[in-house]
Amino acid sequence: MSDAAPHPNWHGTTILAVRKGGATVVAGDGQVSMGQTIVKGNARKVRRLAGGKVVAGFAGATADAFTLIERLEAKLEQYPEQLARACVDLAKDWRTDRYLRRLEAMLIVASATEIFTVTGMGDVLEPESGVTAIGSGGNYALAAARALMDSDLDAEAIARKAMGIAADICVYTNRELVVETV
């Protein structure tokens, strides 16, 4: 039997990051679902870290995500002002540590100048377009945000509109948003 966690089923959330005009915004919906049932509508899946200089959003199992966010905070203390290095080090630990390997979550981590998607497969991905998304409604939010990037809307307006579009399409996404800007 493999020690690697099965690829998680990302029902229950949408997290979107948008960087435009010198601002980086991370938005997350508040819906938590168990199967076909909504169990909570106002969960907070976007958090400020590193004294407010970094924002992280998570999709997947909540306890697993909190474990990863705690580890990320430790990496940010170890490597202050080096977000990429902290994310790579977290991904390396996540991929190689027997306990962490079983965690079922994904993270979007952003500062004012950088955005990364961090996965348990060892991926640290920086989007080319300044937009990335995770979760069950992530592809809907991503497509909508990319389409809006050429508009006159700022990063926050793009994030809010794209998350609204995702909520219209994905039954696991709602309109109870937490939006943080760095």
Coordinates of all heavy atoms in Angstrom, one line a residue, residues 78-132:
Q78 N 11.4 31.3 9.4 CA 12.7 30.8 9.1 C 13.3 31.5 7.9 O 14.5 31.8 7.9 CB 12.7 29.3 8.8 CG 14.0 28.6 8.6 CD 13.9 27.1 8.3 OE1 12.8 26.6 8.3 NE2 15.0 26.5 8.1
Y79 N 12.5 31.9 6.9 CA 12.9 32.6 5.7 C 12.1 33.9 5.6 O 11.3 34.0 4.6 CB 12.7 31.7 4.5 CG 13.4 30.3 4.6 CD1 12.6 29.2 4.6 CD2 14.8 30.2 4.7 CE1 13.2 27.9 4.7 CE2 15.4 29.0 4.8 CZ 14.6 27.8 4.8 OH 15.2 26.6 4.9
P80 N 12.3 34.9 6.4 CA 11.5 36.1 6.3 C 11.8 36.8 4.9 O 12.9 36.8 4.4 CB 12.0 37.0 7.5 CG 13.2 36.3 8.0 CD 13.3 34.9 7.5
E81 N 10.7 37.3 4.4 CA 10.8 38.0 3.1 C 11.2 37.1 1.9 O 11.6 37.6 0.9 CB 11.8 39.2 3.2 CG 11.5 40.2 4.3 CD 10.1 40.9 4.2 OE1 9.7 41.2 3.1 OE2 9.5 41.1 5.3
Q82 N 11.1 35.8 2.1 CA 11.5 34.9 1.0 C 10.3 33.9 0.8 O 10.4 32.7 1.2 CB 12.7 34.1 1.4 CG 14.0 35.0 1.5 CD 15.2 34.1 1.8 OE1 15.5 33.2 1.1 NE2 15.8 34.4 3.0
L83 N 9.2 34.4 0.3 CA 8.0 33.6 0.2 C 8.2 32.4 -0.7 O 7.8 31.3 -0.4 CB 6.9 34.4 -0.4 CG 5.5 33.7 -0.5 CD1 5.0 33.2 0.8 CD2 4.5 34.6 -1.1
A84 N 8.9 32.5 -1.8 CA 9.1 31.4 -2.7 C 9.9 30.3 -2.0 O 9.6 29.1 -2.1 CB 9.9 31.8 -4.0
R85 N 10.9 30.7 -1.3 CA 11.8 29.7 -0.6 C 10.9 29.0 0.5 O 11.0 27.7 0.7 CB 13.0 30.3 0.1 CG 13.9 29.3 0.7 CD 15.2 29.9 1.1 NE 16.1 28.9 1.7 CZ 17.2 29.1 2.2 NH1 17.7 30.4 2.2 NH2 17.9 28.2 2.7
A86 N 10.1 29.7 1.2 CA 9.3 29.1 2.3 C 8.3 28.1 1.7 O 8.1 27.0 2.2 CB 8.5 30.2 3.0
C87 N 7.7 28.5 0.5 CA 6.7 27.6 -0.2 C 7.4 26.3 -0.7 O 6.9 25.2 -0.6 CB 6.0 28.3 -1.3 SG 4.8 29.5 -0.7
V88 N 8.6 26.5 -1.3 CA 9.3 25.3 -1.8 C 9.7 24.4 -0.7 O 9.6 23.2 -0.8 CB 10.6 25.8 -2.6 CG1 11.5 24.6 -2.9 CG2 10.1 26.4 -3.9
D89 N 10.2 25.0 0.4 CA 10.6 24.2 1.6 C 9.4 23.4 2.2 O 9.5 22.3 2.5 CB 11.2 25.0 2.6 CG 12.4 24.4 3.4 OD1 13.1 23.6 2.7 OD2 12.4 24.5 4.6
L90 N 8.2 24.1 2.2 CA 7.0 23.4 2.7 C 6.6 22.3 1.8 O 6.3 21.2 2.2 CB 5.8 24.4 2.8 CG 4.5 23.8 3.1 CD1 4.5 23.2 4.5 CD2 3.4 24.9 3.0
A91 N 6.7 22.5 0.5 CA 6.3 21.5 -0.5 C 7.2 20.3 -0.4 O 6.8 19.1 -0.5 CB 6.3 22.1 -1.9
K92 N 8.5 20.6 -0.2 CA 9.5 19.5 0.0 C 9.2 18.7 1.2 O 9.1 17.4 1.1 CB 10.9 20.1 0.1 CG 12.0 19.0 0.2 CD 13.4 19.7 0.4 CE 13.4 20.2 1.8 NZ 14.8 20.7 2.2
D93 N 8.9 19.3 2.3 CA 8.6 18.6 3.5 C 7.3 17.8 3.3 O 7.1 16.7 3.8 CB 8.4 19.5 4.7 CG 9.7 20.1 5.2 OD1 10.8 19.7 4.7 OD2 9.6 21.0 6.1
W94 N 6.3 18.4 2.7 CA 5.0 17.8 2.5 C 5.1 16.6 1.6 O 4.5 15.6 1.9 CB 4.1 18.9 1.8 CG 2.6 18.6 1.7 CD1 2.0 17.5 2.1 CD2 1.7 19.5 1.2 NE1 0.6 17.7 1.9 CE2 0.4 18.9 1.3 CE3 1.7 20.8 0.7 CZ2 -0.8 19.5 0.9 CZ3 0.6 21.4 0.3 CH2 -0.7 20.8 0.4
R95 N 6.0 16.6 0.7 CA 6.2 15.5 -0.2 C 7.0 14.4 0.4 O 6.7 13.2 0.1 CB 6.9 16.0 -1.5 CG 7.2 14.9 -2.5 CD 6.0 14.7 -3.4 NE 6.4 13.8 -4.5 CZ 5.7 12.8 -4.8 NH1 4.6 12.5 -4.3 NH2 6.1 12.0 -5.8
T96 N 7.9 14.7 1.3 CA 8.8 13.7 1.8 C 8.5 13.2 3.2 O 8.9 12.1 3.6 CB 10.3 14.2 1.8 OG1 10.4 15.3 2.6 CG2 10.7 14.5 0.4
D97 N 7.8 14.0 4.0 CA 7.5 13.6 5.4 C 6.3 12.6 5.4 O 5.3 12.8 4.8 CB 7.1 14.8 6.2 CG 6.8 14.5 7.6 OD1 5.7 14.1 7.9 OD2 7.8 14.6 8.5
R98 N 6.5 11.5 6.0 CA 5.5 10.4 6.0 C 4.1 10.9 6.6 O 3.1 10.5 6.0 CB 6.1 9.2 6.9 CG 5.3 8.0 6.8 CD 6.0 6.9 7.6 NE 5.3 5.6 7.4 CZ 5.8 4.6 6.7 NH1 6.9 4.7 6.1 NH2 5.1 3.5 6.6
Y99 N 4.2 11.7 7.6 CA 2.9 12.2 8.2 C 2.3 13.2 7.3 O 1.1 13.1 6.9 CB 3.2 12.8 9.6 CG 2.0 13.7 10.1 CD1 0.8 13.1 10.5 CD2 2.1 15.0 10.1 CE1 -0.2 13.8 10.9 CE2 1.0 15.8 10.5 CZ -0.1 15.2 10.9 OH -1.2 16.0 11.4
L100 N 3.0 14.2 6.8 CA 2.5 15.3 6.0 C 2.0 14.7 4.6 O 1.0 15.3 4.1 CB 3.6 16.3 5.7 CG 4.0 17.2 6.9 CD1 5.1 18.1 6.5 CD2 2.9 17.9 7.6
R101 N 2.6 13.7 4.1 CA 2.2 13.1 2.8 C 0.7 12.7 2.8 O 0.1 12.7 1.7 CB 3.1 11.9 2.6 CG 3.5 11.8 1.2 CD 4.4 10.6 1.0 NE 5.5 10.5 1.9 CZ 6.1 9.3 2.2 NH1 5.8 8.2 1.6 NH2 7.1 9.3 3.1
R102 N 0.2 12.4 3.9 CA -1.2 12.0 4.0 C -2.2 13.1 4.1 O -3.4 12.9 4.0 CB -1.4 11.1 5.2 CG -0.6 9.8 5.1 CD -0.8 9.0 6.4 NE 0.1 7.9 6.4 CZ -0.2 6.7 5.8 NH1 -1.3 6.5 5.2 NH2 0.7 5.7 5.9
L103 N -1.7 14.4 4.2 CA -2.6 15.5 4.3 C -3.3 15.8 3.0 O -2.7 15.8 1.9 CB -1.9 16.7 4.8 CG -1.2 16.6 6.2 CD1 -0.5 17.9 6.6 CD2 -2.2 16.2 7.2
E104 N -4.6 16.1 3.1 CA -5.4 16.3 1.9 C -5.9 17.7 1.8 O -7.0 18.1 2.3 CB -6.6 15.3 1.8 CG -6.2 13.9 1.7 CD -7.4 12.9 1.7 OE1 -8.5 13.4 1.6 OE2 -7.1 11.7 1.6
A105 N -5.1 18.6 1.2 CA -5.4 20.0 1.1 C -4.5 20.6 0.0 O -3.5 20.0 -0.4 CB -5.2 20.7 2.4
M106 N -4.9 21.8 -0.4 CA -4.0 22.6 -1.3 C -4.0 24.0 -0.7 O -5.0 24.4 -0.1 CB -4.6 22.6 -2.7 CG -4.4 21.3 -3.5 SD -5.1 21.4 -5.1 CE -3.9 22.4 -6.0
L107 N -3.0 24.7 -1.1 CA -2.9 26.1 -0.6 C -2.6 27.1 -1.8 O -1.9 26.7 -2.7 CB -1.7 26.3 0.4 CG -1.7 25.5 1.6 CD1 -0.4 25.7 2.4 CD2 -2.9 25.8 2.5
I108 N -3.2 28.3 -1.7 CA -2.7 29.4 -2.5 C -2.1 30.3 -1.5 O -2.7 30.7 -0.4 CB -3.9 30.1 -3.2 CG1 -4.4 29.2 -4.3 CG2 -3.4 31.5 -3.7 CD1 -5.5 29.9 -5.1
V109 N -0.9 30.7 -1.7 CA -0.1 31.6 -0.9 C 0.3 32.8 -1.7 O 0.8 32.7 -2.8 CB 1.1 30.9 -0.3 CG1 1.9 31.8 0.7 CG2 0.7 29.6 0.4
A110 N 0.1 34.0 -1.1 CA 0.4 35.3 -1.9 C 0.9 36.4 -1.0 O 0.6 36.5 0.2 CB -0.9 35.8 -2.5
S111 N 1.8 37.1 -1.6 CA 2.3 38.4 -1.0 C 1.9 39.5 -2.0 O 1.2 39.2 -3.0 CB 3.8 38.3 -0.9 OG 4.5 38.3 -2.1
A112 N 2.4 40.7 -1.8 CA 2.1 41.8 -2.7 C 2.7 41.6 -4.1 O 2.1 42.1 -5.1 CB 2.6 43.1 -2.1
T113 N 3.7 40.8 -4.2 CA 4.4 40.6 -5.5 C 4.4 39.2 -6.0 O 4.8 39.0 -7.2 CB 5.9 41.1 -5.4 OG1 6.5 40.3 -4.3 CG2 5.9 42.5 -5.0
E114 N 4.0 38.2 -5.2 CA 4.1 36.8 -5.7 C 2.8 36.0 -5.3 O 2.2 36.3 -4.3 CB 5.3 36.1 -5.0 CG 6.6 36.7 -5.3 CD 7.7 36.1 -4.5 OE1 7.7 36.2 -3.3 OE2 8.6 35.4 -5.1
I115 N 2.5 35.1 -6.1 CA 1.4 34.1 -5.9 C 1.9 32.7 -6.2 O 2.5 32.5 -7.2 CB 0.1 34.4 -6.8 CG1 -0.4 35.8 -6.5 CG2 -1.0 33.4 -6.5 CD1 -1.5 36.2 -7.5
F116 N 1.6 31.8 -5.3 CA 2.0 30.4 -5.5 C 0.8 29.5 -5.1 O 0.1 29.7 -4.2 CB 3.2 30.0 -4.6 CG 4.4 30.8 -4.9 CD1 4.8 31.8 -4.1 CD2 5.2 30.5 -6.0 CE1 5.9 32.6 -4.3 CE2 6.3 31.3 -6.3 CZ 6.7 32.3 -5.4
T117 N 0.7 28.4 -5.9 CA -0.2 27.3 -5.5 C 0.7 26.2 -5.1 O 1.7 25.9 -5.7 CB -1.0 26.8 -6.8 OG1 -1.8 27.8 -7.3 CG2 -1.9 25.6 -6.4
V118 N 0.5 25.7 -3.8 CA 1.3 24.7 -3.2 C 0.5 23.4 -3.0 O -0.6 23.5 -2.5 CB 1.9 25.2 -1.9 CG1 2.9 24.1 -1.3 CG2 2.6 26.5 -2.0
T119 N 1.0 22.3 -3.5 CA 0.3 21.0 -3.4 C 1.2 19.9 -2.7 O 2.4 20.1 -2.6 CB 0.0 20.4 -4.8 OG1 1.1 19.9 -5.4 CG2 -0.7 21.5 -5.7
G120 N 0.5 18.9 -2.3 CA 1.1 17.8 -1.6 C 1.9 16.9 -2.6 O 2.6 16.0 -2.2
M121 N 1.8 17.2 -3.8 CA 2.5 16.4 -4.9 C 3.9 17.0 -5.1 O 4.7 16.6 -5.9 CB 1.8 16.4 -6.2 CG 0.4 15.8 -6.1 SD 0.3 14.1 -5.4 CE 1.0 13.2 -6.8
G122 N 4.2 18.1 -4.3 CA 5.5 18.7 -4.4 C 5.5 19.9 -5.3 O 6.6 20.5 -5.6
D123 N 4.4 20.3 -5.8 CA 4.3 21.4 -6.8 C 4.3 22.8 -6.1 O 3.6 22.9 -5.0 CB 3.0 21.3 -7.6 CG 2.9 20.0 -8.4 OD1 3.9 19.7 -9.0 OD2 1.8 19.4 -8.3
V124 N 5.0 23.7 -6.6 CA 4.9 25.1 -6.2 C 4.8 25.9 -7.5 O 5.8 26.0 -8.3 CB 6.2 25.6 -5.4 CG1 6.1 27.1 -5.1 CG2 6.3 24.7 -4.1
L125 N 3.6 26.3 -7.8 CA 3.3 26.8 -9.2 C 3.0 28.3 -9.1 O 2.2 28.7 -8.3 CB 2.1 26.1 -9.8 CG 2.2 24.6 -9.8 CD1 0.8 24.0 -10.2 CD2 3.2 24.2 -10.8
E126 N 3.7 29.1 -9.9 CA 3.5 30.5 -9.9 C 2.7 30.8 -11.2 O 3.2 30.5 -12.3 CB 4.8 31.3 -9.9 CG 4.6 32.8 -9.8 CD 5.9 33.5 -9.6 OE1 7.0 32.9 -9.8 OE2 5.9 34.7 -9.1
P127 N 1.6 31.4 -11.2 CA 0.8 31.6 -12.4 C 1.4 32.7 -13.3 O 2.0 33.6 -12.8 CB -0.6 32.1 -11.9 CG -0.3 32.8 -10.6 CD 0.9 32.0 -10.0
E128 N 1.4 32.4 -14.6 CA 1.9 33.4 -15.6 C 1.0 34.6 -15.7 O 1.5 35.7 -16.0 CB 2.0 32.7 -17.0 CG 3.0 31.6 -17.1 CD 3.0 31.0 -18.5 OE1 2.1 31.3 -19.3 OE2 3.8 30.1 -18.7
S129 N -0.3 34.4 -15.5 CA -1.2 35.5 -15.8 C -1.6 36.3 -14.6 O -2.4 37.2 -14.7 CB -2.5 34.8 -16.4 OG -3.1 34.0 -15.4
G130 N -1.0 36.0 -13.4 CA -1.4 36.8 -12.2 C -2.7 36.3 -11.6 O -3.2 36.9 -10.7
V131 N -3.2 35.1 -12.1 CA -4.4 34.6 -11.6 C -4.3 33.1 -11.3 O -3.7 32.4 -12.2 CB -5.6 34.8 -12.6 CG1 -6.9 34.2 -12.0 CG2 -5.8 36.3 -12.9
T132 N -4.7 32.6 -10.2 CA -4.8 31.2 -10.0 C -6.0 30.9 -9.0 O -6.4 31.7 -8.3 CB -3.4 30.6 -9.4 OG1 -3.4 29.2 -9.4 CG2 -3.2 31.1 -7.9

